[in-house]
Amino acid sequence: MEYNEIDIKNGIRLHSINTQKFKTNLISVILTTKLDKENVTKNALIPVILRRGTANLKTQEEINKKLEEMYGASLDCGLDKTADNQVLKFYIESVNDEFLPHNDENMLKQSLENIFEVVFNPYLENNYFKKEYVEQEKENLKQIIEGKIDNKARYALDRCIEEMYKDQPYGLYKYGYVEDLKNIDEKNLYEYYCELIKKCKIDIFVSGILDDKIEDLVKNNENINKLNERNPEYIMPDIKPKKSDQENVVQESMEVNQGKLIIGLDLSLDNEDLRYDAMIYNSILGGSANSKLFQNVREKASLAYTASSTYYRFKNNILINCGIEIENYEKTLEIIKQQLEDMKRGNFTDEEVENAKQGIIAAIKSIDDEQDTEITYFFGQELSNNKLDIDAYMERVNKVNKQNVIDIANKISINTIYFLKN
Amino acid sequence: MQIIENSKVKEKLYIEKLENGLTIMIIPKKGIQKKYIIWGTNYGSNDSTFIVPGENQITEVPKGVAHFLEHKMFEQENGRNSLDVLTSLGVSANAYTTNNHTAYLYECTDNFYEALDEFMDYVQHPYFTDENVEKEKGIIGQEIMMYDDYPEWKVYLNALECMYHKNPVKLDITGTIETISKIDKDILYKCYNTFYNPSNMAMVISGDFEPEKLLGEIKKRLIDKKANGEIKRIFEEEPKEIVKEKAEQNMEVSKPLYTIGVKDVPPEEKEKVKKHIALEILLNILIGASSELYKKLYDIGNSYSVPSIEYEFDKNYAHILINGQSNNPEELFEMLKKQINKFIQEGINEEEAERTKKMIYGEYIKEYNDVIDISRMFLSDYFKGINSFDYLEEIEAINVEYLNQVLKDVFNEKKMILSVIKN
């Protein structure tokens, strides 16, 4: 694997990953802009409007037929919240020429042209987005937003984060808000899109069997060529001490058979480097089948099937997640709090620390075995401007010891306890 | 080992059937860090009535035993839990149960052989006690309740209930709280001894391996066990007709979920792969991303995402499932039926068929990116009597005549059902 970065223009960066491991080429165009209430819903609409038609392929049927013709290339778009940014992602995955019946298809070039066309050259009518597309996608988005109740476990998690970040950017729902939709039309949305494309951070990732022509292929593309230089407007993840004085307890009722208990923890870190210690802490607390939560809530007390925790490294939070009988709320909470307490007191072994490290290192080692994981990894580094190659990353994880983990445990406080019941 | 090479995707399969009946398949992947192993038994939730080799009488066990066994296999006599041991080695281990097989697996970068010691030891040494069996009922009970909150799962099960009178494919893989309450350690041992015989099992490994060396390492870790005879599995005869056309259930969902099913007869042995590919092509032409019908549904605000389509089959059942979310599933169901009739009358368009074939060819190639996808695919195809490479080989020969034939044979209005979950 060979990784290269080059600025096509100020604020527009090409990341090329030359790898022989895959049957496919994966290209990703990522637009990053700061999260705010005013634009969150518009940002959610942009990718789906762009997917509807381009200047040359005016309808989604035409786009889809083109993709089918390209041996089932897939073109997806998605939304993420990363630190206090809203991230608009576009992907195209296509089979490498080497595995096609005719190897003169130039699939990489075709894929680049297609994805740039979708993102930067939308279909317009009377100089704006097509009205019909905007109205349909508003309705579609409305249904997606209303659909957040469908997956109860996911809903509980989102609600806990919303409670933890009330009136702050990270508390915003990434798909936006139904009440904002009525003020959006094909004109103001297109005007917003032009602003976004002018100012946002643009990252282009190309992974596959590449040669040195890749840079020119991107640079000389007319849709890339027409983009302006910029000082991109986005938020670098920062690290600041935070400690909640009081546990915020929230309970909600819905038609559920199983209660969903989510506990949001704050990590008060004052130094970037502590994130590696926090990863190990999380792994011991609830990151694996050996973890305290899995062992004590599930295996010993038989209270849950799901009992785990996840570390949100860009925001320094850990979210604990359990699906339990509703009547077992108090009992489960008590066991979980006991685990947090045990971590503080150092009631875990060096062996547990070593095991956690091994698990994390195995995951790091296989980063370049998956194209999308590798892109996500490099993008995370890009955003935090913390360039660490895979070996250095592993070395840093390897340095963590038990005392480091205890120190982390003592920087942790419960922010919110959220329970979804019937 | 026998070597089967595929020139299209440029991969090799090394395969060997050992004397004890165990089949081992290795797909080497040079330069990949990740290693994956999966060991499956041809025993799933459907197999609850059977004759143990050497016995005459029929054994019938409660629904959910295969899945219960999967949970309990990790516990060892020395008090250790193999899942913990494997996790400690930095490998990521898991297991799952389907209708027709149960599989144990792990993924790792380092410590492959240390993990193989534990892995092959625990799958070959069950340890069940009254106490550890009772404890698991609480955990599985929560798993069942978790699925009860998944509308996607409910809409699927209700669809199967519309299609099947007798076949156990319609039942929950986990069993129910009631059926699992009847499970005890004797039942678990009986099922283990019957189905976890090497002759009923297969192992697939993919990663950067030297196949002959790996085979030797696996053989070393096998305990001495003879192949047993054929396990006779008993299924009540399934009528060709559906049970009922429609099912509806209320759950708190923002927009209705639907599953449309088409009940089919199990494919002829020789035709399995060909028919599977033909149905994938047909379903894409009918209601895929570039289809006329999907465009109509989008424009009238009925559906905003392409339905997922699937052909599920085994020796004693076969059906098509079309899943998605729709603001009006009834309308979609009627429009689909009309479109099918139109295609039956007018025939499939050749250009469209060729374009869809290209797309499906590309999708098959993409399956070979990841050692996990490769291994799982070879295992589940193996239990259906299929070599996964066959899909790449047989697609070319599929023509419009064959597509039209399958279309007429399978898509019968009287065999179609609609399951809906809505508010």
Side-chain angles (χ1 to χ4, degrees), chain B residues 87-127:
Chain B
T87 309
S88 309
L89 287 166
V91 318
S92 170
N94 213 334
Y96 65 85
T97 309
T98 73
N99 290 309
N100 75 350
H101 71 273
T102 311
Y104 301 86
L105 56 97
Y106 67 88
E107 174 193 334
C108 69
T109 53
D110 299 311
N111 295 339
F112 179 81
Y113 288 109
E114 290 85 341
L116 190 65
D117 286 338
E118 181 70 25
F119 178 71
M120 288 188 62
D121 184 59
Y122 90 79
V123 177
Q124 297 181 94
H125 294 102
Y127 175 66

Side-chain angles (χ1 to χ4, degrees), chain A residues 145-164:
Chain A
I145 298 168
E146 287 167 351
K148 68 176 160 184
I149 60 161
D150 293 353
N151 181 333
K152 303 293 187 280
R154 180 76 229 173
Y155 173 78
L157 196 72
D158 282 335
R159 280 288 297 120
C160 184
I161 292 173
E162 197 172 284
E163 287 291 330
M164 292 169 78

Side-chain angles (χ1 to χ4, degrees), chain A residues 116-299:
Chain A
F116 293 153
E117 169 89 11
V118 167
V119 181
F120 302 114
N121 199 18
Y123 178 60
L124 303 181
E125 273 184 8
N126 310 315
N127 297 321
Y128 295 110
F129 285 138
K130 183 172 166 150
K131 187 180 171 64
E132 186 196 342
Y133 290 173
V134 174
E135 291 310 313
Q136 279 177 340
E137 295 309 325
K138 276 166 64 179
E139 178 58 29
N140 193 358
L141 184 63
K142 176 171 165 265
Q143 294 180 14
I144 289 171
I145 298 168
E146 287 167 351
K148 68 176 160 184
I149 60 161
D150 293 353
N151 181 333
K152 303 293 187 280
R154 180 76 229 173
Y155 173 78
L157 196 72
D158 282 335
R159 280 288 297 120
C160 184
I161 292 173
E162 197 172 284
E163 287 291 330
M164 292 169 78
Y165 288 95
K166 240 181 203 161
D167 305 321
Q168 295 175 54
Y170 199 69
L172 293 168
Y173 188 54
K174 69 175 178 182
Y175 288 111
Y177 298 88
V178 172
E179 67 267 21
D180 293 340
L181 285 169
K182 62 177 184 304
N183 297 321
I184 298 175
D185 61 31
E186 69 281 7
K187 288 185 181 153
N188 60 28
L189 189 64
Y190 181 66
E191 281 159 4
Y192 174 74
Y193 162 79
C194 294
E195 278 300 291
L196 176 76
I197 292 297
K198 212 184 278 174
K199 293 178 178 163
C200 71
K201 175 171 172 49
I202 300 179
D203 290 282
I204 300 161
F205 288 88
V206 183
S207 163
I209 306 174
L210 311 178
D211 56 31
D212 48 14
K213 288 199 287 278
I214 182 68
E215 194 188 323
D216 287 340
L217 265 181
V218 173
K219 256 189 194 159
N220 299 336
N221 181 283
E222 55 180 331
N223 285 311
I224 297 295
N225 220 344
K226 72 182 185 193
L227 296 170
N228 57 291
E229 306 220 358
R230 77 261 335 268
N231 284 314
E233 288 182 356
Y234 72 105
I235 314 280
M236 293 256 285
D238 60 349
I239 197 131
K240 55 175 176 244
K242 50 180 172 182
K243 199 142 196 138
S244 12
D245 318 317
Q246 208 185 332
E247 294 169 5
N248 174 26
V249 179
V250 184
Q251 300 206 350
E252 280 184 308
S253 294
M254 250 190 195
E255 266 177 43
V256 286
N257 292 300
Q258 187 185 53
K260 319 286 175 197
L261 173 63
I262 313 287
I263 302 177
L265 308 176
D266 281 335
L267 280 67
S268 185
L269 310 185
D270 49 11
N271 169 349
E272 293 271 344
D273 241 20
L274 294 176
R275 284 184 181 149
Y276 304 97
D277 306 351
M279 286 168 71
I280 305 294
Y281 172 92
N282 178 63
S283 173
I284 298 172
L285 178 70
S288 78
N290 276 355
S291 67
K292 298 227 171 271
L293 291 173
F294 193 88
Q295 288 298 325
N296 291 291
V297 178
R298 174 172 157 149
E299 295 295 308

Side-chain angles (χ1 to χ4, degrees), chain A residues 21 23-24 64 68-69 72 98-99 137 143 147 150 255 257-258 290 295 302 325 365 369-370, chain B residues 9-11 31 33-34 84 88 110 135 142 149 252 254-255 289-290 298 355 358 361 366 369:
Chain A
K21 288 187 176 187
K23 309 290 175 196
T24 46
N64 291 336
E68 289 171 5
E69 198 60 57
E98 205 182 303
F99 307 101
E137 295 309 325
Q143 294 180 14
D150 293 353
E255 266 177 43
N257 292 300
Q258 187 185 53
N290 276 355
Q295 288 298 325
S302 200
E325 289 278 357
K365 269 195 182 165
D369 285 346
E370 285 168 24
Chain B
V9 73
K10 300 186 175 147
E11 297 288 357
Q33 295 278 329
K34 208 160 40 168
D84 300 350
S88 309
D110 299 311
K135 190 204 78 183
Q142 284 308 309
D149 281 340
E252 204 172 340
S254 61
K255 142 153 107 160
S290 68
Y298 206 103
R355 193 183 66 237
K358 276 185 166 181
Y361 175 84
K366 288 182 199 172
N369 259 349

